[in-house]
Amino acid sequence: MEKIIRLLFLAGGLVWACLLLKRLLTDKRPEEGGKSLGTMLLTEGILYFITSMGISDFLMNTVVFHKFRSGDADRLPGTLMLCAVVPGSFLAYAFLRGAGEADTGTLVLCTAGMLLGALAGGRLTQRLDGRRIKTLLGYALILSVAALIGKMIFSAGLSGTATGLSGWRLGVAVLFSMVCGALNMVGVPAKPTLTAVFLLLGLSPLCTLTLLLVMCGLSPMAASVPFYRSGRYHRRTVLAAVLTGTAGAVAGGLLMISLPAAVLNILLLGVMLLAIVTTLRK
């Protein structure tokens, strides 16, 4: 099953890369806004290298889009989705092939839970106060980070070593995957919360990263279709993401796979602390 999932990501990434490159390289229309292609190639390469650590590419590309004045706001959703689809697919493939950490049953059930949550969350979008939820999430992440640090201290700095979950732990992981999938529809990032949950349940840092990148890599593959058809995206940014963004993602993924578990644990804690600061500042 894991091999099938891995090949689906590889095939999806290749198909999307061909579709996007064919359109982007043959479209000679002038494009307003944004920086030069050289600047975007460097930016997206660095951005997706950092994404391999579990930091949200959507958050970073939103900042880039506004700072570089890359067009009207209605181009932002399409730009985010189409930038993520190819690097995200190859990054998930790299982790699944190189890490070999995640239990297939845990991977499939948590991914299914997140997708179901996202479907249900679409109906809740109008009822929930996204800003209030983000604030509560920020405080919950503070408690989670404190719990993780306490766990590391009492276990002499050792991180979790499990590559899969069963019983009540699996039930908790699937439940939180569903909740995070739903809340993601109102703009609440899923990665920081799921990082805390997976680590607290005893999964290894590498397994946690693998689960996160696979779960969050599926959505753009399907959600990008209407944006591709409409043409509402910033072409230079997407082209840079397909080229150097993919290279940066794969390079970062290979580096993360080779790091010791203790270093990955510290990196993931740093990602959660960054998420706390970003969330509470908003």
Side-chain angles (χ1 to χ4, degrees):
M1 176 62 79
E2 182 181 328
K3 184 177 181 180
I4 294 174
I5 296 173
R6 194 167 68 225
L7 290 176
L8 284 174
F9 273 107
L10 178 61
L14 289 172
V15 168
W16 269 112
C18 291
L19 289 173
L20 287 170
L21 288 175
K22 181 180 179 182
R23 172 175 289 187
L24 293 168
L25 293 176
T26 57
D27 192 340
K28 303 300 183 182
R29 292 176 300 165
E31 185 174 47
E32 296 181 0
K35 298 292 184 178
S36 67
L37 179 59
T39 300
M40 295 313 305
L41 287 169
L42 177 62
T43 301
E44 293 299 310
I46 295 172
L47 187 150
Y48 277 99
F49 180 86
I50 297 172
T51 296
S52 67
M53 304 176 192
I55 299 177
S56 171
D57 57 315
F58 276 33
L59 175 63
M60 292 188 288
N61 258 329
T62 298
V63 174
V64 168
F65 186 91
H66 290 303
K67 290 291 184 182
F68 289 177
R69 299 178 181 177
S70 301
D72 301 330
D74 63 349
R75 291 183 180 270
L76 177 59
T79 302
L80 296 179
M81 281 292 178
L82 289 170
C83 279
V85 63
V86 178
S89 299
F90 280 94
L91 184 56
Y93 174 79
F95 267 85
L96 286 171
R97 180 177 175 79
E101 280 275 318
D103 169 69
T104 303
T106 303
L107 178 67
V108 170
L109 289 175
C110 288
T111 302
M114 189 173 189
L115 292 175
L116 288 173
L119 291 174
R123 301 180 180 181
L124 298 175
T125 303
Q126 303 301 323
R127 303 178 187 176
L128 297 177
D129 184 349
R131 184 174 298 178
R132 182 174 298 177
I133 292 172
K134 287 181 182 179
T135 302
L136 292 173
L137 175 63
Y139 289 114
L141 284 173
I142 292 174
L143 296 175
S144 299
V145 170
L148 284 169
I149 293 174
K151 183 180 178 183
M152 291 176 67
I153 292 173
F154 286 112
S155 61
L158 298 176
S159 57
T161 57
T163 58
L165 299 171
S166 60
W168 69 268
R169 285 185 173 84
L170 180 57
V172 170
V174 173
L175 176 62
F176 270 91
S177 298
M178 292 178 66
V179 171
C180 288
L183 295 181
N184 202 33
M185 299 301 292
V186 293
V188 179
K191 285 181 180 177
T193 306
L194 289 175
T195 298
V197 170
F198 291 155
L199 290 176
L200 285 171
L201 289 173
L203 289 176
S204 71
L206 186 53
C207 180
T208 296
L209 259 181
T210 302
L211 285 172
L212 289 175
L213 295 172
V214 170
M215 292 167 66
C216 297
L218 278 176
S219 299
M221 293 179 70
S224 296
V225 174
F227 296 111
Y228 174 80
R229 289 175 175 171
S230 69
R232 302 297 295 171
Y233 51 87
H234 192 257
R235 298 197 303 277
R236 283 197 301 276
T237 305
V238 174
L239 178 60
V242 174
L243 297 175
T244 55
T246 301
V250 173
L254 295 176
L255 175 63
M256 293 301 109
I257 292 168
S258 66
L259 290 177
V263 176
L264 276 178
N265 221 26
I266 293 171
L267 281 174
L268 290 175
L269 285 172
V271 170
M272 285 186 283
L273 289 171
L274 177 63
I276 290 169
V277 173
T278 304
T279 301
L280 294 181
R281 280 182 64 182
K282 292 181 180 180

